[in-house]
Amino acid sequence: NCTQATEFNLVGFTEDPATQVTLFLLFLLTYLVTILGNLGMITLIRASPLLHSPMYYFLGNLAFVNLCTSTIISPRILVGILLGRKGMPYAGCMAQVFTFGLFVISECFLLATMAYDRYMAICHPLLYPLVMSPERCSRLVTSSYLLGLTNGVGQTISMSSLFFCSPSTIDLFFCDISLLISLSTSDTTLSLIILRTSSSLLGVSSMLVVLVSYVAIISTILSISSAEGKRKAFSTCASHLTTVSTFYGALIFVYLIPRSDTSRGGDKWAAVLYTVVTPMLNPLIYSLRNQEVKEAWRRLRKIK
């Protein structure tokens, strides 16, 4: 005997006013850096002929996905802290499930595509121009978005059939699908099947592509005789490896490591890592560690 929930209460980080001010400033700064960094990366890749290559084509799309992911999450956090609004309308929560599911899986496959790109560049350099043609790169990126769209639609359809009693409280700062399923008073068998199938077929498969690619890359680098050759080969994928480690590490911690409800306190901060921090760090990692990006910045500044 309960009424259908028209909104969900999202639990914030703290009720202490002083801490809330600090968190607001930190999240605001992080979001501004994310916007400037990713927009700057997209603009630089489009404007600089030096960066018109498959790797930077994928990086530009990764920057776009990071920008969208952060925009789905960060403004809601800022509004919640500033105005104390914890409620998320039911329709807004479903929209967040759809868009977040779309862009997270798209990012997984973009990272897998970038790993495959580095595998071809390092392990099969003679075949690289033929395999990574502009047409194939475009198809790989389009496939990443389509797989993300498939995931978003599937998750939203599975959620639309569930019933939630009012009031419903989500112990997180966004509408996470796994927490929503656990709150439902309906039969969640189908939703869990869709979630686990999607995680296995899409998330795990993209992770395997990354792992297999880097096993082959590391094996090839170790077979190079000169230390300078090893350094140059590793430098071409160091930025991507850093991004992959941060992103997948947080996802594995939140969704794949089993633990009791009393030990899930770190989930909220791990979620901050892959929803808020990683989108900010990606353009910084590629800007600071990549010589071609640095050179493109210098040339663009000279032109201006």
Side-chain angles (χ1 to χ4, degrees):
N1 293 325
C2 64
T3 57
Q4 169 70 20
T6 57
E7 70 173 16
F8 297 91
N9 294 320
L10 303 179
V11 176
F13 296 91
T14 179
E15 296 295 334
D16 180 61
T19 306
Q20 284 184 334
V21 171
T22 302
L23 288 175
F24 176 82
L25 294 175
L26 285 175
F27 280 115
L28 178 61
L29 177 62
T30 300
Y31 185 50
L32 291 176
V33 173
T34 300
I35 293 175
L36 294 175
N38 286 288
L39 283 179
M41 184 63 70
I42 294 170
T43 303
L44 180 65
I45 291 171
R46 292 179 64 88
S48 175
L50 184 65
L51 304 182
H52 290 177
S53 64
M55 182 174 74
Y56 295 106
Y57 174 65
F58 299 137
L59 178 58
N61 281 276
L62 179 65
F64 170 73
V65 169
N66 286 160
L67 188 61
C68 293
T69 302
S70 182
T71 300
I72 293 167
I73 303 296
S74 294
R76 180 62 187 78
I77 297 176
L78 294 172
V79 170
I81 296 175
L82 183 64
L83 302 180
R85 294 179 181 174
K86 295 184 178 182
M88 169 76 81
Y90 178 87
C93 206
M94 294 302 104
Q96 198 173 65
V97 167
F98 169 73
T99 52
F100 189 72
L102 189 162
F103 288 115
V104 165
I105 293 299
S106 296
E107 181 166 359
C108 287
F109 278 96
L110 282 174
L111 291 173
T113 300
M114 293 172 74
Y116 177 72
D117 173 76
R118 292 299 84 204
Y119 161 75
M120 291 302 305
I122 294 174
C123 301
H124 303 284
L126 297 180
L127 294 175
Y128 182 78
L130 178 64
V131 174
M132 303 305 293
S133 63
E135 294 78 13
R136 179 162 295 181
C137 291
S138 178
R139 287 198 294 269
L140 287 170
V141 169
T142 301
S143 298
S144 298
Y145 288 125
L146 288 176
L147 289 167
L149 179 62
T150 300
N151 178 67
V153 170
Q155 304 295 3
T156 306
I157 291 175
S158 72
M159 292 302 303
S160 63
S161 62
L162 298 182
F163 189 90
F164 300 91
C165 287
S166 181
S168 292
T169 300
I170 302 174
D171 190 18
L172 203 61
F173 51 87
F174 70 99
C175 292
D176 178 73
I177 187 168
S178 60
L179 293 180
L180 283 169
I181 291 175
S182 67
L183 286 175
S184 176
T185 56
S186 307
D187 181 6
T188 59
T189 303
L190 179 60
S191 297
L192 287 172
I193 290 174
I194 293 175
L195 177 61
R196 289 167 182 169
T197 301
S198 174
S199 300
S200 300
L201 292 180
L202 300 178
V204 175
S205 63
S206 64
M207 193 183 307
L208 286 175
V209 172
V210 173
L211 288 174
V212 171
S213 297
Y214 272 103
V215 167
I217 288 171
I218 292 172
S219 177
T220 301
I221 291 176
L222 292 177
S223 67
I224 299 175
S225 56
S226 68
E228 181 64 17
K230 290 181 180 180
R231 187 193 65 79
K232 288 183 178 180
F234 184 74
S235 67
T236 64
C237 57
S239 298
H240 179 255
L241 188 58
T242 303
T243 298
V244 166
S245 300
T246 305
F247 180 74
Y248 279 113
L251 287 179
I252 290 171
F253 178 82
V254 173
Y255 295 109
L256 297 184
I257 296 179
R259 51 198 177 277
S260 64
D261 292 338
T262 57
S263 63
R264 300 184 70 91
D267 287 9
K268 191 175 296 185
W269 295 107
V272 170
L273 182 62
Y274 73 81
T275 59
V276 178
V277 178
T278 299
M280 176 193 69
L281 289 179
N282 285 346
L284 298 178
I285 291 171
Y286 279 93
S287 298
L288 296 174
R289 297 184 63 90
N290 196 296
Q291 294 299 323
E292 290 181 335
V293 173
K294 292 179 182 179
E295 180 62 25
W297 274 119
R298 283 194 290 266
R299 291 187 182 184
L300 191 63
R301 290 170 61 185
K302 288 181 180 179
I303 294 174
K304 291 182 178 181

